[in-house]
């Protein structure tokens, strides 16, 4: 009996270890390939110059870096206020039917495949203004709304009841308690949520294909077409040129580093903030 | 005899279907310390929050009866609960300074959010109330640092200062020393004895000795009912009710 239990114990441990490796090995493989292949063209030119021309090998991805920055900026302008206010509403006011509807809506948005959001942006923005930073920003903004809503809501719900009561006991109106006491208290977690939402959409590719078009120019404004780091990876990886493959790998490495820095940065930020709470 | 600052008349509170306070008649004398004693869960905190209408911010409570502040019912529909909360300050069991604000801002946040921005006035208030709670000399060089870095006892005194900054008439304290070490607790007790010259103080405590040391009047609450109320000395030396006697003798 005991031996059987031992055996079950051991095989269970072995199984767990196996599934861990099945999970981790491909991840290590991906990260390893990105680092090894990405280092070849991971130079200053990559981040300081746009492509030389449509068909020649040299140059970098400055156009895509600027494009990503602009698209993500527009996305955040759209999703931060909407997501933040919705998060406040759900955490502080939500009762009854309307709250249920909003919650269901947010869950639904979170479940929409990003390409569909891209097509949606295409039909309402690209059709009118053409392929543009605005269209891409709209798509990514839309996609990031649920993340902002949830992180804001969770951060506010974590505010201790004593803090809220202490706020109210100063004889100030509810909206001021929420905005200056609750949000103030929760602000580092809310900001962390914003950054993670941003990190989440920075690598989105599919919705950008149908909204910003790509190309080799540095976007000049809200209504000009643009490229983006993930889109460059996609386009260059599909090209027949070795030199472009190398740039795609390097762009992937850059994206990986950005995501890593943001995630670790948020963790570190929360850790130093946590000392006081 | 002293004037009556707060009077409850037939005050009952329900949470959902459960009656937490049962027909409380209580007269709190002005500029005295009144202690509210009773075992855990008997309704002490609820009683305090009923006085400054803090129960209103939560769902599920129902209040009936009257709470008279200077003779006017605070539950009158014409009354703005925010004004009541400004006139009746409150300090909580767990020291709860706002950790995202500086020491300075913790003191004046109530004033600032009530629209007072005169820097000179705010500076004066900070100095005055921090002096009152005996914190000024300890923190005057780091007013801009986070309130979360203070010790527990300092935090609780800061919370008292935060309440005093609004210049209230009444100060409610809900077991303000139960989370503190004996030395910090003693500091707060002597502080309260100072403050009663200017404020009407109601302190909830389940520390019987504390009630005996600092209060002038004492109320004994048991399962939502006011069992006995009177001069502290009377309550302790000559209780009229058997339950009160058992409680103050520590036999409960
Ligand atoms: N929000 C609430 N939810 C559930 N029960 C509550 C709530 N508020 C008060 N009560 C109940 O009311 C009674 C009195 O609570 P409280 O006033 O906190 O007592 P005390 O401060 O004397 O310990 C307790 O039995 C408690 O369970
Ligand atoms: Mg209590």
């Amino acid at each position: 009996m005991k031996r059987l239990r031992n055996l079950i114990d051991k095989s269970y441990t072995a199984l767990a270890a196996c599934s861990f490796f099945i999970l981790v090995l491909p991840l290590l493989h991906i990260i390893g390939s990105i680092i090894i292949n990405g280092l070849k063209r991971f130079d200053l030119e990559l981040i300081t110059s746009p492509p030389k021309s449509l068909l020649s090998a040299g140059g970098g991805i400055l156009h895509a870096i600027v494009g990503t920055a602009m698209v993500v900026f527009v996305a955040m302008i759209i999703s931060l206020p909407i997501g933040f206010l919705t998060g406040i509403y759900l955490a502080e006011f939500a009762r009854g039917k309307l709250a249920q509807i909003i919650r269901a809506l947010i869950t639904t948005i979170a479940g929409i495949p990003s390409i569909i959001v891209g097509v949606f942006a295409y039909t309402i923005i690209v059709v009118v203004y053409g392929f543009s930073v605005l269209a891409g920003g709209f798509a990514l903004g839309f996609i990031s709304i649920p993340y902002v809503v949830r992180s804001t809501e969770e951060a506010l719900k974590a505010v201790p009841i004593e803090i809220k009561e202490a706020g109210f006991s100063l004889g100030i109106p509810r909206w001021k308690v929420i905005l200056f006491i609750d949000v103030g208290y929760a602000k580092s977690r809310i900001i962390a949520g914003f950054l993670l939402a941003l990190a989440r959409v920075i690598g989105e590719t599919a919705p950008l294909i149908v909204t910003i078009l790509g190309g080799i120019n540095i976007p000049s404004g809200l209504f000009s077409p643009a490229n983006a780091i993930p889109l460059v990876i996609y386009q260059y990886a599909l090209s027949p040129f070795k030199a472009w493959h190398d740039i795609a790998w390097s762009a992937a490495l850059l994206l990986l580093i950005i995501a890593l820095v943001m995630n670790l940065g948020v963790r570190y930020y929360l850790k130093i903030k946590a000392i006081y709470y | 005899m002293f004037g009556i600052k707060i009077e409850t008349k037939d005050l009952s509170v329900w949470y959902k279907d459960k009656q937490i306070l049962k027909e409380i008649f209580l007269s709190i004398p002005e500029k005295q310390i009144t202690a509210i004693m009773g075992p855990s869960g008997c309704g002490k905190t609820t009683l305090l929050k009923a006085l400054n209408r803090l129960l209103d911010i939560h769902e599920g409570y129902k209040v009936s009866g009257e709470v008279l502040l200077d003779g006017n019912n605070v539950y009158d529909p014409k009354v703005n609960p925010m004004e009541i909360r400004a006139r009746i300050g409150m300090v909580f069991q767990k020291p709860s300074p706002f950790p995202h604000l500086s020491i300075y801002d913790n003191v004046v946040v109530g004033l600032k959010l009530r629209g007072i921005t005169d820097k000179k006035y705010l500076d004066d208030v900070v100095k005055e109330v921090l002096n009152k709670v005996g914190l000024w000399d300890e923190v005057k060089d780091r007013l801009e640092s986070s309130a979360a870095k203070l010790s527990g006892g300092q935090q609780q005194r800061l919370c008292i200062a935060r309440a005093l900054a609004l210049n209230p008439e009444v100060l409610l304290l809900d077991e303000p020393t139960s989370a503190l070490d004996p030395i910090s607790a003693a500091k707060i007790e002597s502080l309260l004895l100072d403050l009663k010259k200017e404020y009407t103080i109601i302190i909830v405590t389940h520390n019987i000795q504390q009630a005996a040391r600092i209060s002038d009047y004492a109320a004994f609450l048991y399962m939502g009912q006011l069992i006995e109320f009177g001069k502290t000395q009377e309550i302790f030396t000559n209780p009229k009710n058997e339950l009160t006697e058992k409680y103050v003798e520590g036999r409960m």
Side-chain angles (χ1 to χ4, degrees):
Chain A
M1 208 42 215
K2 194 167 174 216
R3 273 178 61 187
L4 181 67
R5 205 179 322 146
N6 234 325
L7 196 69
I8 293 177
D9 243 26
K10 280 205 175 115
S11 43
Y12 187 78
T13 312
L15 200 70
C18 271
S19 30
F20 176 73
F21 279 112
I22 290 173
L23 203 73
V24 165
L25 278 181
L27 186 66
L28 287 178
H29 181 72
I30 293 171
I31 293 176
S33 329
I34 290 178
I35 292 174
I36 290 165
N37 294 302
L39 281 175
K40 272 186 231 157
R41 270 302 319 273
F42 204 68
D43 47 29
L44 207 59
E45 192 185 14
L46 182 81
I47 55 171
T48 55
S49 55
K52 288 234 165 61
S53 77
L54 210 49
L55 285 171
S56 73
I61 56 164
L62 180 64
H63 66 310
I65 295 172
V66 174
T68 284
M70 289 173 71
V71 168
V72 168
F73 181 75
V74 172
M76 291 297 124
I77 295 233
I78 292 168
S79 75
L80 290 194
I82 297 176
F84 178 65
L85 292 174
T86 311
I88 289 180
Y89 173 78
L90 289 180
E92 304 282 345
F93 299 97
R95 306 270 183 281
K97 259 261 155 350
L98 183 61
Q100 277 176 6
I101 293 171
I102 291 179
R103 254 178 244 281
L105 207 65
I106 298 295
T107 311
T108 310
I109 292 175
I112 299 175
S114 59
I115 182 70
I116 307 280
V117 176
V119 171
F120 173 57
Y122 181 91
T123 57
I124 70 167
I125 297 185
V126 175
V127 168
V128 184
Y129 298 104
F131 292 102
S132 57
V133 168
L134 178 68
F138 175 84
L140 295 197
F142 196 85
I143 290 166
S144 64
I145 285 175
Y147 296 92
V148 178
V149 171
R150 280 183 193 149
S151 61
T152 305
E153 183 184 0
E154 270 158 34
L156 286 175
K157 282 188 167 164
V159 176
I161 188 72
E162 310 92 77
I163 293 290
K164 288 172 187 275
E165 287 192 331
F168 277 105
S169 75
L170 297 175
I172 50 184
R174 185 183 180 116
W175 69 270
K176 284 188 181 176
V177 173
I178 291 171
L179 225 49
F180 297 100
I181 306 294
D182 296 353
V183 170
Y185 183 94
K187 103 184 145 224
S188 44
R189 290 184 60 175
I190 294 175
I191 292 172
F194 290 170
L195 292 175
L196 290 178
L198 198 156
R200 167 69 187 71
V201 294
I202 213 167
E204 276 291 345
T205 316
L208 295 183
I209 295 173
V210 292
T211 52
I212 65 173
L213 189 61
I216 63 167
N217 296 321
I218 292 177
S220 57
L222 203 52
F223 298 103
S224 71
N227 213 322
I229 303 171
L231 193 51
V232 156
I233 298 172
Y234 171 74
Q235 290 169 340
Y236 281 14
L238 294 183
S239 79
F241 309 114
K242 171 78 170 57
W244 282 7
H245 292 174
D246 289 344
I247 292 182
W249 281 112
S250 297
L253 181 57
L254 182 65
L255 204 55
L256 189 69
I257 290 172
I258 293 174
L260 202 68
V261 165
M262 292 190 71
N263 279 289
L264 292 181
V266 166
R267 271 172 188 238
Y268 180 70
Y269 174 69
L270 282 181
K271 212 167 172 179
I272 52 175
K273 288 289 171 186
I275 300 169
Y276 302 135
Y277 289 71
Chain B
M1 229 356 235
F2 299 92
I4 298 302
K5 187 66 187 178
I6 294 186
E7 192 175 358
T8 69
K9 283 189 171 164
D10 199 13
L11 178 68
S12 292
V13 175
W14 288 260
Y15 181 74
K16 307 254 164 82
D17 293 333
K18 185 182 167 201
Q19 187 165 8
I20 300 174
L21 292 178
K22 295 167 186 163
E23 298 110 40
I24 308 270
F25 288 84
L26 188 59
S27 300
I28 308 286
E30 189 169 18
K31 293 186 180 167
Q32 296 284 294
I33 297 181
T34 301
I36 296 172
M37 308 181 293
S40 232
C42 70
K44 305 182 294 295
T45 299
T46 309
L47 176 58
L48 281 196
K49 291 182 188 170
L51 300 183
N52 71 343
R53 294 197 60 175
L54 201 57
L55 290 180
D56 291 33
I57 69 166
H58 299 291
E59 273 183 24
Y61 288 100
K62 200 181 112 219
V63 178
S64 78
E66 296 184 343
V67 174
L68 306 177
L69 175 62
D70 288 337
N72 302 312
N73 185 10
V74 305
Y75 284 96
D76 189 309
K78 287 195 288 280
V79 168
N80 179 352
M82 288 187 288
E83 288 315 313
I84 299 301
R85 291 179 204 134
R87 289 175 65 190
I88 306 181
M90 185 157 185
V91 175
F92 300 85
Q93 183 168 6
K94 188 164 166 234
S96 51
F98 303 127
H100 61 289
L101 297 180
S102 66
I103 293 171
Y104 183 100
D105 276 337
N106 260 278
V107 176
V108 297
V109 63
L111 291 172
K112 276 189 175 172
L113 292 180
R114 289 170 67 79
I116 294 164
T117 53
D118 180 3
K119 176 87 170 87
K120 172 85 175 56
Y121 175 74
L122 295 178
D123 286 351
D124 289 347
V125 168
V126 168
K127 185 165 182 192
E128 186 198 327
V129 298
L130 286 180
N131 256 320
K132 254 186 207 173
V133 301
L135 210 51
W136 176 252
D137 288 326
E138 291 166 51
V139 303
K140 63 171 186 267
D141 299 321
R142 46 179 175 140
L143 291 174
E144 291 310 317
S145 72
S146 166
K149 290 181 198 160
L150 297 173
S151 73
Q154 289 175 322
Q155 289 189 3
Q156 199 59 304
R157 280 184 285 153
L158 180 63
C159 290
I160 296 175
R162 178 175 69 191
L164 296 184
L166 292 169
N167 199 19
E169 300 151 43
V170 180
L171 196 56
L172 309 176
L173 302 108
D174 189 3
E175 304 194 32
T177 62
S178 67
L180 305 181
D181 62 273
I183 294 172
S184 306
K187 274 190 190 165
I188 296 216
E189 287 184 13
S190 72
L191 166 62
L192 295 179
L193 289 171
D194 272 351
L195 291 176
K196 82 168 179 183
K197 295 185 199 105
E198 290 177 71
Y199 307 94
T200 300
I201 295 176
I202 305 177
I203 179 171
V204 160
T205 177
H206 61 206
N207 179 337
I208 302 164
Q209 285 79 23
Q210 183 174 62
R213 274 195 301 272
I214 64 170
S215 69
D216 305 292
Y217 289 80
F220 176 58
L221 212 58
Y222 186 71
M223 290 170 66
Q225 277 177 314
L226 180 64
I227 304 295
E228 194 164 344
F229 174 70
K231 287 208 149 130
T232 301
Q233 208 183 358
E234 289 284 307
I235 296 269
F236 276 85
T237 56
N238 191 13
K240 293 185 182 62
N241 189 293
E242 214 175 310
L243 281 169
T244 315
E245 186 174 357
K246 265 170 92 179
Y247 185 78
V248 299
E249 286 171 2
R251 289 189 287 125
M252 193 173 266

